[in-house]
Amino acid sequence: MYTLSNNIKIPKIGFGTWQIPPGEIAYKSVLDAIKVGYKHIDTAYAYENEQSVGKAIKDSGVNRDELFITSKLPSHIKDYEGTVKHFNLTMENLGLEYLDLYLIHAPWPWDEIGKDCSQGNVLAWKAMIEFFKAGKIRAIGVSNFNKEEIENIVKHTNFVPHVNQIQFHIGHTQNETVSYCNKHNIFIEAYSPLGTGRVLKNETVIEMAKKYNVTPAQLSIRYCLEKNTAPLPKTTSKDRMIENMNVDFKINVEDIKILDEL
Ligand code: A2P
């Protein structure tokens, strides 16, 4: 477990559900993930699989308080009322009483990357702070935000996000955002820790994995842990789910440096 700035514990490795199709595939994947030991599940309204994720959580039989469930406000919702509405829709979809973590999915709509939504982000953030204070969410945060975008919401609310979930993997370490977040005690979650699969084809990664007697996926996930981030690997294969959790080894400092350079 890692500990967030508000003392909430978060399991170090989460199960990512981005690009897992809704219905039977998402249901079975999440059920398998919980069965093999994942306690931390990451979904989003925009993935359209919340209902399947919720059903799997319910059917898993695991106590709610042993699980850490994250969802996200769709990236195009940039007002207070829309945030309230979508949070309620997410809770209905998942069939849960509370969320462990709720994130603003992105600082701008995915089809208008880079658009200035500073005012809208503040409105959404205010609604999320209210849900947090009402105990409906145990921790709140953002995703895909850079330093300026975080500074904007903090300046207008005086409330620092607990988490920033960003794309983070070998070859894509977003150093400026990460060091800003580290300095302000904003925990980093690493989505696409395998670079959606691309990192696994890198020759240096393949060779180094052999040296540690692990797979390239295990080396990539371990790298995220060595950087004190929470990787959220995605897979629909039960064997790979197990493989991706089995990362109890250390990468030495020299090798970390080599990976940092990729
Ligand atoms: P699949 O779902 O068919 O297993 P990321 O988590 O960075 O988004 O990467 C996800 C991609 O990596 C998916 O295509 C997934 O395929 C693949 N993947 C996940 N775990 C492994 C693994 N242990 N070995 C090889 N490929 C993997």
Side-chain angles (χ1 to χ4, degrees), residues 36 55 61 78 93 98 114 169-170 209 247:
V36 304
K55 188 169 182 318
K78 297 296 180 199
N93 283 341
Y98 67 90
H169 50 79
I170 294 169
V247 290

Side-chain angles (χ1 to χ4, degrees), residues 17-89:
T17 67
W18 177 40
Q19 292 181 332
I20 302 190
E24 197 48 37
I25 301 181
Y27 173 74
K28 189 175 177 307
S29 302
V30 175
L31 201 57
D32 281 346
I34 297 175
K35 268 192 204 144
V36 304
Y38 287 82
K39 296 276 193 261
H40 172 178
I41 312 289
D42 182 272
T43 183
Y45 184 87
Y47 302 167
E48 296 179 353
N49 58 18
E50 283 177 322
Q51 287 185 1
S52 319
V53 171
K55 188 169 182 318
I57 291 168
K58 187 159 169 266
D59 292 353
S60 73
V62 174
N63 286 341
R64 174 68 185 90
D65 61 2
E66 285 178 45
L67 297 172
F68 189 99
I69 312 297
T70 303
S71 194
K72 311 184 192 87
L73 176 72
S75 63
H76 64 282
I77 305 299
K78 297 296 180 199
D79 61 350
Y80 181 91
E81 292 75 21
T83 304
V84 172
K85 180 178 153 202
H86 278 82
F87 174 70
N88 288 329
L89 286 172

Side-chain angles (χ1 to χ4, degrees), residues 14-20 29 38 167-169 190-200 215-218 220-221 231-245:
F15 181 70
T17 67
W18 177 40
Q19 292 181 332
I20 302 190
S29 302
Y38 287 82
Q167 186 178 359
F168 181 95
H169 50 79
Y191 76 76
S192 298
L194 314 175
T196 64
R198 278 167 307 158
V199 174
L200 312 181
T215 65
Q218 288 169 322
S220 305
I221 291 165
L232 308 169
K234 170 257 163 187
T235 178
T236 50
S237 140
K238 198 170 175 179
D239 289 342
R240 286 176 173 177
M241 289 173 195
I242 297 167
E243 175 186 329
N244 294 349
M245 287 184 84

